[in-house]
Coordinates of all heavy atoms in Angstrom, one line a residue:
M1 N 90.2 201.7 104.3 CA 90.3 202.1 105.7 C 89.8 203.5 105.9 O 90.1 204.4 105.1 CB 91.8 202.0 106.1 CG 92.0 202.4 107.5 SD 93.7 202.5 108.0 CE 93.9 201.0 108.8
D2 N 88.9 203.7 106.9 CA 88.3 205.0 107.1 C 89.3 205.7 108.0 O 90.1 205.3 108.8 CB 87.1 204.8 107.9 CG 86.2 206.1 108.0 OD1 85.5 206.4 107.1 OD2 86.4 206.7 109.1
A3 N 89.3 207.1 107.9 CA 90.1 208.0 108.7 C 90.0 207.8 110.2 O 90.8 207.9 111.0 CB 89.9 209.4 108.3
S4 N 88.8 207.5 110.6 CA 88.5 207.3 112.1 C 88.7 205.8 112.5 O 88.4 205.5 113.6 CB 87.1 207.8 112.4 OG 86.2 207.0 111.7
D5 N 89.5 205.0 111.7 CA 89.8 203.7 112.1 C 91.0 203.6 113.1 O 91.3 202.6 113.6 CB 90.1 202.8 110.9 CG 88.8 202.3 110.0 OD1 87.7 202.6 110.6 OD2 89.0 202.0 109.0
T6 N 91.7 204.7 113.2 CA 92.7 204.9 114.1 C 92.5 206.0 115.1 O 91.6 206.8 114.9 CB 94.1 205.2 113.4 OG1 94.0 206.4 112.9 CG2 94.4 204.2 112.3
I7 N 93.2 206.0 116.2 CA 92.9 207.1 117.3 C 93.4 208.4 116.7 O 92.7 209.3 116.8 CB 93.9 206.7 118.5 CG1 93.2 205.5 119.2 CG2 93.8 207.9 119.4 CD1 94.0 204.9 120.3
D8 N 94.4 208.5 116.0 CA 94.9 209.7 115.4 C 93.8 210.2 114.3 O 93.5 211.4 114.2 CB 96.3 209.8 114.7 CG 97.4 209.6 115.8 OD1 97.1 209.9 117.0 OD2 98.5 209.2 115.4
G9 N 93.3 209.3 113.5 CA 92.3 209.6 112.5 C 91.1 210.1 113.2 O 90.5 211.1 112.7
A10 N 90.7 209.5 114.2 CA 89.4 209.9 114.9 C 89.6 211.3 115.6 O 88.7 212.1 115.5 CB 89.1 208.9 116.0
K11 N 90.8 211.5 116.0 CA 91.1 212.9 116.7 C 91.1 214.0 115.7 O 90.5 215.1 115.7 CB 92.4 212.9 117.4 CG 92.4 212.1 118.7 CD 93.8 212.1 119.3 CE 93.8 211.3 120.6 NZ 95.2 211.3 121.2
A12 N 91.6 213.6 114.4 CA 91.7 214.6 113.4 C 90.3 214.9 112.8 O 89.9 216.0 112.6 CB 92.6 214.1 112.2
S13 N 89.5 213.8 112.7 CA 88.1 214.1 112.3 C 87.3 214.8 113.3 O 86.5 215.8 112.9 CB 87.4 212.7 112.2 OG 87.9 211.9 111.1
A14 N 87.5 214.6 114.6 CA 86.9 215.3 115.7 C 87.2 216.9 115.5 O 86.4 217.8 115.7 CB 87.2 214.9 117.1
V15 N 88.5 217.1 115.2 CA 88.9 218.5 115.1 C 88.3 219.3 114.0 O 87.7 220.4 114.1 CB 90.5 218.7 114.9 CG1 90.9 220.1 114.6 CG2 91.2 218.2 116.2
I16 N 88.2 218.6 112.8 CA 87.5 219.2 111.6 C 86.1 219.4 112.0 O 85.5 220.5 111.7 CB 87.7 218.3 110.4 CG1 89.2 218.2 109.9 CG2 86.8 218.8 109.2 CD1 89.8 219.6 109.7
Y17 N 85.4 218.3 112.5 CA 84.0 218.5 112.9 C 83.7 219.6 113.9 O 82.8 220.4 113.6 CB 83.5 217.2 113.5 CG 82.1 217.1 113.8 CD1 81.2 217.1 112.7 CD2 81.6 217.1 115.1 CE1 79.8 216.9 113.1 CE2 80.3 217.1 115.3 CZ 79.3 217.0 114.3 OH 78.1 217.0 114.7
R18 N 84.6 219.8 114.8 CA 84.4 220.9 115.8 C 84.6 222.2 115.1 O 83.8 223.2 115.4 CB 85.5 220.7 117.0 CG 85.3 221.7 118.0 CD 86.2 221.3 119.2 NE 87.4 220.6 118.7 CZ 88.0 219.7 119.5 NH1 87.7 219.5 120.7 NH2 89.2 219.2 119.0
L19 N 85.6 222.4 114.2 CA 85.8 223.6 113.6 C 84.6 224.0 112.6 O 84.2 225.1 112.5 CB 87.1 223.6 112.7 CG 88.4 223.7 113.5 CD1 89.6 223.4 112.7 CD2 88.4 225.0 114.2
M20 N 84.0 222.9 112.0 CA 82.8 223.2 111.1 C 81.6 223.6 111.9 O 81.0 224.6 111.5 CB 82.5 222.0 110.3 CG 83.4 221.5 109.2 SD 83.6 222.6 107.9 CE 85.0 223.4 108.2
L21 N 81.5 223.0 113.1 CA 80.3 223.5 113.9 C 80.6 224.9 114.6 O 79.7 225.7 114.7 CB 80.2 222.4 115.1 CG 79.6 221.1 114.7 CD1 79.4 220.2 115.8 CD2 78.2 221.3 114.0
T22 N 81.9 225.2 114.9 CA 82.2 226.6 115.3 C 81.9 227.6 114.3 O 81.4 228.6 114.6 CB 83.7 226.6 115.7 OG1 83.9 225.7 116.8 CG2 84.1 227.9 116.3
S23 N 82.2 227.2 113.0 CA 81.9 228.2 112.0 C 80.5 228.4 111.8 O 80.0 229.6 111.6 CB 82.6 227.8 110.7 OG 82.0 226.6 110.2
R24 N 79.7 227.4 111.9 CA 78.2 227.6 111.8 C 77.8 228.4 113.0 O 77.0 229.2 112.8 CB 77.6 226.2 111.9 CG 76.0 226.3 111.7 CD 75.2 225.0 111.9 NE 75.7 223.9 111.1 CZ 75.4 222.7 111.3 NH1 74.6 222.4 112.3 NH2 75.9 221.7 110.6
A25 N 78.2 228.1 114.3 CA 77.8 228.9 115.4 C 78.2 230.3 115.3 O 77.5 231.3 115.8 CB 78.5 228.3 116.6
C26 N 79.3 230.6 114.5 CA 79.7 232.0 114.4 C 79.0 232.8 113.2 O 79.4 233.9 113.0 CB 81.2 232.0 114.2 SG 82.2 231.6 115.6
G27 N 78.1 232.1 112.5 CA 77.5 232.7 111.4 C 78.3 232.8 110.1 O 78.1 233.6 109.3
V28 N 79.3 231.8 110.1 CA 80.3 231.9 109.0 C 79.9 230.7 108.1 O 79.7 229.6 108.5 CB 81.7 231.7 109.5 CG1 82.7 231.4 108.4 CG2 82.2 232.9 110.3
E29 N 80.0 231.0 106.7 CA 79.8 230.0 105.7 C 81.0 228.9 105.8 O 82.1 229.4 105.5 CB 79.6 230.5 104.3 CG 79.1 229.5 103.5 CD 79.7 229.4 102.0 OE1 79.9 230.5 101.5 OE2 79.8 228.4 101.5
A30 N 80.8 227.8 106.2 CA 81.9 226.8 106.6 C 82.8 226.6 105.3 O 84.0 226.5 105.5 CB 81.3 225.5 107.1
L31 N 82.1 226.3 104.2 CA 82.9 226.0 103.0 C 83.8 227.3 102.6 O 85.0 227.0 102.3 CB 82.1 225.6 101.9 CG 82.9 225.1 100.6 CD1 83.8 223.9 101.0 CD2 81.9 224.6 99.5
A32 N 83.3 228.4 102.6 CA 84.1 229.6 102.4 C 85.3 229.8 103.3 O 86.4 230.1 103.0 CB 83.3 230.8 102.3
W33 N 85.0 229.6 104.6 CA 86.0 229.6 105.7 C 87.1 228.7 105.4 O 88.3 228.9 105.4 CB 85.4 229.5 107.0 CG 86.4 229.3 108.1 CD1 87.2 230.3 108.6 CD2 86.9 228.1 108.6 NE1 88.1 229.7 109.5 CE2 87.9 228.3 109.5 CE3 86.5 226.7 108.5 CZ2 88.6 227.4 110.3 CZ3 87.1 225.7 109.2 CH2 88.1 226.1 110.1
L34 N 86.7 227.3 105.1 CA 87.7 226.3 104.9 C 88.6 226.5 103.7 O 89.7 226.3 103.7 CB 87.0 225.0 104.7 CG 87.9 223.7 104.8 CD1 88.6 223.6 106.0 CD2 86.9 222.5 104.6
R35 N 87.9 227.0 102.6 CA 88.7 227.4 101.4 C 89.7 228.5 101.7 O 90.9 228.4 101.3 CB 87.8 227.9 100.3 CG 87.1 226.8 99.6 CD 86.3 227.4 98.5 NE 85.5 226.5 97.8 CZ 84.3 226.6 97.4 NH1 83.7 227.7 97.5 NH2 83.7 225.5 96.7
H36 N 89.4 229.4 102.6 CA 90.2 230.5 102.9 C 91.4 230.0 103.7 O 92.6 230.3 103.4 CB 89.5 231.6 103.8 CG 90.4 232.5 104.4 ND1 91.1 233.6 103.6 CD2 90.8 232.8 105.6 CE1 91.8 234.4 104.4 NE2 91.6 233.8 105.7
V37 N 91.1 229.1 104.7 CA 92.1 228.6 105.6 C 93.1 227.7 104.7 O 94.4 227.8 104.9 CB 91.5 227.7 106.6 CG1 92.6 226.9 107.4 CG2 90.8 228.6 107.6
L38 N 92.6 226.9 103.9 CA 93.4 226.0 103.1 C 94.2 226.7 102.0 O 95.3 226.1 101.6 CB 92.5 224.8 102.4 CG 91.9 223.8 103.3 CD1 91.0 222.9 102.6 CD2 93.0 223.2 104.2
T39 N 93.9 227.9 101.6 CA 94.7 228.7 100.8 C 95.6 229.6 101.5 O 96.8 229.6 101.1 CB 93.7 229.7 99.9 OG1 92.8 229.0 99.3 CG2 94.5 230.6 99.1
E40 N 95.4 229.9 102.6 CA 96.2 230.8 103.5 C 97.3 230.1 104.2 O 98.5 230.4 104.3 CB 95.4 231.6 104.4 CG 96.1 232.7 105.3 CD 96.7 233.8 104.5 OE1 96.2 234.1 103.4 OE2 97.8 234.3 105.0
L41 N 96.9 229.0 104.8 CA 97.8 228.2 105.7 C 99.1 227.8 105.1 O 100.1 227.9 105.7 CB 97.0 227.0 106.3 CG 97.6 226.4 107.5 CD1 97.7 227.3 108.6 CD2 96.7 225.2 108.0
P42 N 99.1 227.3 103.8 CA 100.4 226.9 103.2 C 101.3 228.1 103.0 O 102.6 227.8 102.8 CB 100.0 226.3 101.8 CG 98.6 225.9 102.0 CD 97.9 226.9 103.0
Q43 N 100.9 229.3 103.0 CA 101.7 230.5 102.8 C 102.3 231.0 104.1 O 103.2 231.8 104.0 CB 100.8 231.6 102.2 CG 100.2 231.3 100.9 CD 99.3 232.4 100.4 OE1 99.7 233.5 100.4 NE2 98.2 232.0 99.9
R44 N 102.0 230.4 105.2 CA 102.5 230.8 106.5 C 103.6 229.9 106.8 O 103.8 228.9 106.5 CB 101.4 230.7 107.6 CG 100.1 231.3 107.3 CD 100.0 232.6 108.0 NE 98.7 233.3 107.6 CZ 97.8 233.8 108.5 NH1 98.1 233.6 109.8 NH2 96.8 234.3 108.1
T45 N 104.5 230.6 107.7 CA 105.7 229.8 108.2 C 105.1 228.8 109.3 O 104.1 229.0 109.8 CB 106.8 230.7 108.8 OG1 106.1 231.4 109.9 CG2 107.3 231.7 107.7
E46 N 105.9 227.9 109.6 CA 105.5 226.8 110.5 C 105.3 227.4 111.9 O 104.4 226.9 112.6 CB 106.6 225.8 110.6 CG 106.2 224.4 111.2 CD 107.2 223.4 111.1 OE1 107.8 223.2 109.9 OE2 107.6 222.8 112.1
D47 N 106.0 228.4 112.3 CA 105.8 229.0 113.7 C 104.9 230.2 113.7 O 104.8 231.0 114.6 CB 107.2 229.3 114.3 CG 108.0 230.3 113.4 OD1 107.6 230.5 112.2 OD2 108.8 231.0 114.0
A48 N 104.2 230.5 112.5 CA 103.2 231.7 112.4 C 102.0 231.6 113.4 O 101.6 230.4 113.6 CB 102.9 231.8 111.0
D49 N 101.6 232.7 113.9 CA 100.4 232.7 114.6 C 99.3 232.6 113.6 O 99.2 233.3 112.7 CB 100.3 234.1 115.3 CG 99.1 234.2 116.1 OD1 98.4 233.2 116.4 OD2 98.8 235.4 116.6
I50 N 98.4 231.6 113.9 CA 97.3 231.3 112.9 C 95.9 231.6 113.5 O 94.9 231.3 113.0 CB 97.3 229.9 112.4 CG1 97.3 228.8 113.5 CG2 98.6 229.7 111.5 CD1 97.2 227.4 113.0
H51 N 95.9 232.2 114.7 CA 94.6 232.5 115.4 C 93.7 233.4 114.5 O 92.4 233.2 114.6 CB 94.9 233.3 116.7 CG 95.5 232.3 117.8 ND1 96.8 232.1 118.1 CD2 94.8 231.4 118.5 CE1 97.0 231.3 119.0 NE2 95.7 230.8 119.3
D52 N 94.3 234.2 113.6 CA 93.4 234.9 112.8 C 92.6 234.1 111.7 O 91.6 234.5 111.1 CB 94.1 236.0 112.0 CG 95.2 235.4 111.1 OD1 96.0 234.6 111.6 OD2 95.2 235.8 109.9
L53 N 93.0 232.9 111.5 CA 92.3 231.9 110.7 C 91.2 231.2 111.4 O 90.5 230.4 110.6 CB 93.4 231.0 110.1 CG 94.4 231.6 109.2 CD1 95.4 230.4 108.8 CD2 93.9 232.2 108.1
L54 N 90.9 231.4 112.6 CA 89.9 230.6 113.3 C 88.5 231.2 112.8 O 88.5 232.4 112.4 CB 90.1 230.8 114.8 CG 91.3 230.0 115.4 CD1 91.5 230.4 116.9 CD2 91.1 228.6 115.2
P55 N 87.5 230.3 112.8 CA 86.1 230.8 112.3 C 85.6 232.1 112.8 O 85.0 232.8 112.0 CB 85.3 229.6 112.7 CG 86.2 228.5 112.8 CD 87.5 229.0 113.4
F56 N 85.8 232.4 114.1 CA 85.3 233.6 114.6 C 85.9 234.8 114.2 O 85.5 235.9 114.5 CB 85.1 233.5 116.3 CG 86.4 233.0 116.9 CD1 87.4 234.0 117.2 CD2 86.5 231.7 117.3 CE1 88.6 233.5 117.8 CE2 87.6 231.3 118.0 CZ 88.7 232.1 118.2
N57 N 87.0 234.7 113.5 CA 87.7 235.9 113.0 C 87.5 236.1 111.5 O 88.0 237.0 110.8 CB 89.2 235.8 113.2 CG 89.6 235.8 114.7 OD1 89.0 236.7 115.3 ND2 90.5 235.0 115.1
F58 N 86.6 235.2 110.9 CA 86.3 235.3 109.4 C 85.0 236.1 109.3 O 84.2 236.0 110.2 CB 86.1 233.8 108.9 CG 86.0 233.7 107.4 CD1 87.2 233.8 106.6 CD2 84.9 233.4 106.9 CE1 87.2 233.8 105.3 CE2 84.7 233.3 105.4 CZ 85.9 233.5 104.7
P59 N 84.9 236.8 108.2 CA 83.6 237.6 108.0 C 82.3 236.8 108.0 O 82.4 235.6 107.6 CB 83.8 238.2 106.6 CG 85.2 238.2 106.4 CD 85.7 237.0 107.1
K60 N 81.4 237.2 108.8 CA 80.1 236.5 108.8 C 79.4 236.4 107.4 O 79.6 237.2 106.5 CB 79.1 237.3 109.7 CG 79.7 237.6 111.1 CD 79.3 236.6 112.1 CE 79.6 236.9 113.5 NZ 80.9 236.7 113.8
A61 N 78.7 235.3 107.2 CA 77.9 235.1 106.0 C 76.8 236.1 105.9 O 76.2 236.5 106.9 CB 77.3 233.6 106.0
T62 N 76.5 236.6 104.7 CA 75.5 237.5 104.5 C 74.2 236.9 103.9 O 74.5 235.9 103.0 CB 75.8 238.7 103.6 OG1 76.3 238.2 102.4 CG2 76.9 239.5 104.3
A63 N 73.0 237.2 104.3 CA 71.9 236.5 103.6 C 71.8 237.0 102.2 O 72.0 238.0 101.8 CB 70.5 237.0 104.5
A64 N 71.4 236.0 101.3 CA 71.2 236.2 99.9 C 69.8 236.8 99.7 O 68.9 236.7 100.2 CB 71.5 235.0 99.2

């Protein structure tokens, strides 16, 4: 069963897709940003403000 086989799965997939595209639009390396979020998020309380974890608040990717 694919994640998008259900309405909730499709919504979750759309949220992740939108965040990945937002990171790209902000000049952020998506995988680095996602690693940061997945490391940081479990350390936060359930009611913590997580706006600082959004892609536009992550350091821009630098050209190699």
Side-chain angles (χ1 to χ4, degrees):
M1 177 187 264
D2 188 88
S4 59
D5 286 344
T6 65
I7 292 173
D8 287 339
K11 287 179 183 178
S13 294
V15 168
I16 295 298
Y17 184 71
R18 185 172 30 211
L19 287 169
M20 293 291 101
L21 290 179
T22 300
S23 67
R24 183 189 306 169
C26 293
V28 169
E29 194 216 324
L31 187 55
W33 168 77
L34 190 57
R35 282 184 183 135
H36 172 71
V37 170
L38 293 176
T39 301
E40 182 67 28
L41 199 54
Q43 300 176 42
R44 308 260 178 125
T45 61
E46 198 171 307
D47 60 341
D49 182 13
I50 58 171
H51 286 97
D52 63 306
L53 297 177
L54 293 172
F56 48 81
N57 292 321
F58 193 74
K60 305 267 186 280
T62 57

